[in-house]
Amino acid sequence: MNPELYPLGLRIAGRLVVVVGGGPVAARRARSLVLAGAHVRVVAPEVCEDLAALIAPLPDGAAHHDGPGTAGTVVREARSFEPGDLEDAWLVHTATGSPEVDAAVAAEAEALRVFCVSAGDAEAGTAWVPAVARVTVADVDGAGAGGPTGSPASTEVVVAVNAGRDPRRAQHVRDAIDALLATGELPLRPVRPAAGGRGSVALVGGGPGDPELVTARGRRLLAQAEVVVADRLGPRVLLDELADDVVVIDVGKTPGFHPVPQEEINALLVEHALAGRRVVRLKGGDPYVFGRGGEELIACEEHGIPVEVVPGVTSAVSVPAAVGIPVTHRGWSRGFTVLTGHEDIGKVPAASDHTVVLLMGVSRLRDSAAALVASGRSPETPVAVVEDGYGPRQRSTVGTLATIADVATAAGVRAPAVTVIGDVVRVSPAWRAAGLG
Ligand code: SAH
């Protein structure tokens, strides 16, 4: 137990740090110090490849410990540690592999009142290195549209974990936190307004509805959002996790009834982003697959708003998969076409080894099936209508192009549903259960 451990974040940029030792541990330390902007002086008779790669010659006359700067540097004294090497240092790391040398370094550091991390014997040191997880919180700023980025110092969340003399344990805790940071489950939303008062829009593909089928990026942006504009389809349970002060605007469309027209959705996105807010437009599936994401992107860009588009798992592929239908399958299907069932189907390859996936338009199923037969598909082509994929009403109704409209009507099939047409439907348990051959 070390109840006296006092966590602190060092602003080490532009300051001299001495690293004694030339092995892989010294190299790791030197690398993170350089990333933090420190001027690193390595004292070691020999250095490993990783460390050698970090060492760059200083320009003539350049000093390396004269006040704050941003770019870190590494210089090397190619010899063993000598008294006096810690002169001017703000911090010391010793990782020589020799207990005697490490002890001598620690003793000199102690005498000079410089904090010292000792890799060999942690107890001999006066500072410990934590396991670290980092995330840039405001990284939607300036993404895509080349807008200004906030200063790194104000945008980063750093989590440092110490676990006494058990660094592996600290790493495990850090990894768990890292995973939560990656999935957006931690409240990363900045409390201070974005740098420059500039808002942004992220068009996030939410996947087919299961909250686990959103990308890590999407979850993270959602956790940072101040305004969420949500669809009817997509992972709506994620809205329940949002903090109370997040503004949630429901623009959900139901078939045949569009509560919020697209122009108004565009205007909402623009209005909130121009007011300096981080807006997430949470959409079902993928933003660019019948999602009108392109229109929203253009509307925002016309107002100079930075936009990030986060792809999503489209229902066109995932909803068939939910009921055991692969849209392509070796020997059964060589490709697939995704179409809207709202409109005339037009021309698609007629062979049954080309899968056709229809989104929307379940009420036009009869017309769509007839159109496919008219353009050369066999009336015997298998069809599955998959309702509410990944949802509580998930159901697969199967038939052929000749029968599916009647079968679906009898079964009371309704939106949202994805219709799959082609030999791949034979792969599904529902087809086999129906005994359709
Ligand atoms: N951008 C979305 C599609 C939007 S169009 C995507 O990539 O998935 C809306 C249509 O998607 C619905 O009419 C339905 O055909 C389909 N859809 C979306 N989610 C669905 C789900 N969970 N189950 C069944 N169909 C779904």
Side-chain angles (χ1 to χ4, degrees):
M1 286 293 283
N2 276 276
E4 73 276 17
L5 192 73
Y6 180 71
L8 199 65
L10 297 185
R11 302 181 66 202
I12 205 77
R15 306 192 195 282
L16 178 68
V17 179
V18 175
V19 174
V20 186
V25 175
R28 274 208 304 278
R29 298 282 156 78
R31 190 177 309 111
S32 45
L33 286 163
V34 170
L35 287 176
H39 292 314
V40 181
R41 181 195 293 155
V42 174
V43 180
E46 272 156 276
V47 292
C48 67
E49 242 174 63
D50 281 356
L51 197 44
L54 285 174
I55 297 167
L58 270 188
D60 278 351
H64 47 69
H65 48 83
D66 52 0
T70 47
T73 56
V74 185
V75 293
R76 175 182 166 212
E77 308 284 352
R79 53 169 174 74
S80 303
F81 175 73
E82 287 168 10
D85 276 346
L86 307 187
E87 200 71 23
D88 298 331
W90 288 74
L91 181 68
V92 181
H93 284 264
T94 180
T96 62
S98 151
E100 295 77 35
V101 178
D102 283 351
V105 175
E108 180 162 335
E110 182 82 25
L112 292 171
R113 303 184 183 204
V114 178
F115 279 102
C116 174
V117 179
S118 176
D121 178 6
E123 289 300 327
T126 46
W128 290 348
V129 173
V132 174
R134 290 172 191 267
V135 56
T136 305
V137 166
D139 48 10
V140 293
D141 288 349
T149 318
S151 82
S154 65
T155 57
E156 221 177 42
V157 170
V158 180
V159 181
V161 181
N162 280 99
R165 303 188 66 177
D166 194 346
R168 295 285 300 275
R169 185 185 187 196
Q171 280 165 16
H172 290 157
V173 174
R174 185 269 320 273
D175 290 347
I177 293 170
D178 220 11
L180 291 175
L181 290 169
T183 54
E185 280 172 72
L186 295 180
L188 284 171
R189 204 157 44 91
V191 175
R192 289 193 184 172
R198 190 175 167 120
S200 60
V201 172
L203 306 178
V204 174
D210 184 326
E212 305 242 302
L213 292 179
V214 188
T215 61
R217 181 78 188 148
R219 286 292 291 262
R220 180 175 286 182
L221 291 171
L222 204 53
Q224 297 172 18
E226 290 159 286
V227 177
V228 176
V229 181
D231 270 348
R232 185 177 57 91
L233 296 174
R236 294 187 56 102
V237 295
L238 293 179
L239 302 177
D240 301 340
E241 294 174 8
L242 298 171
D244 289 345
D245 58 341
V246 177
V247 178
V248 178
I249 304 170
D250 199 335
V251 293
K253 301 181 183 110
T254 43
F257 180 64
H258 299 253
V260 183
Q262 188 62 47
E263 298 66 41
E264 279 179 42
I265 296 175
N266 297 352
L268 272 171
L269 301 177
V270 167
E271 176 196 323
H272 284 285
L274 288 181
R277 303 185 187 109
R278 289 165 212 284
V279 183
V280 164
R281 171 78 175 105
L282 182 64
K283 307 172 77 68
D286 183 275
Y288 284 164
V289 179
F290 301 122
R292 307 192 71 169
E295 294 162 59
E296 294 172 355
L297 174 81
I298 290 166
C300 292
E301 287 187 345
E302 278 173 0
H303 289 83
I305 296 162
V307 185
E308 175 174 354
V309 181
V310 182
V313 173
T314 179
S315 64
V317 174
S318 60
V319 169
V323 298
I325 304 175
V327 290
T328 71
H329 193 64
R330 201 173 164 79
W332 297 70
S333 164
R334 303 189 298 136
F336 64 101
T337 297
V338 181
L339 294 165
T340 164
H342 259 333
E343 294 158 19
D344 278 349
I345 281 189
K347 274 232 162 313
V348 282
S352 63
D353 69 352
H354 184 93
T355 308
V356 174
V357 179
L358 301 179
L359 300 193
M360 305 175 279
V362 267
S363 58
R364 289 190 75 259
L365 195 53
R366 192 173 300 275
D367 294 343
S368 301
L372 286 167
V373 172
S375 70
R377 287 224 165 198
S378 161
E380 301 308 313
T381 308
V383 182
V385 183
V386 188
E387 296 166 87
D388 195 31
Y390 301 92
R393 288 197 305 112
Q394 178 178 304
R395 176 171 71 152
S396 179
T397 302
V398 294
T400 63
L401 278 179
T403 66
I404 192 65
D406 289 337
V407 175
T409 306
V413 164
R414 53 196 171 97
V418 170
T419 303
V420 192
I421 299 140
D423 286 337
V424 286
V425 171
R426 296 178 198 278
V427 180
S428 72
W431 178 268
R432 282 182 266 129
L436 291 170

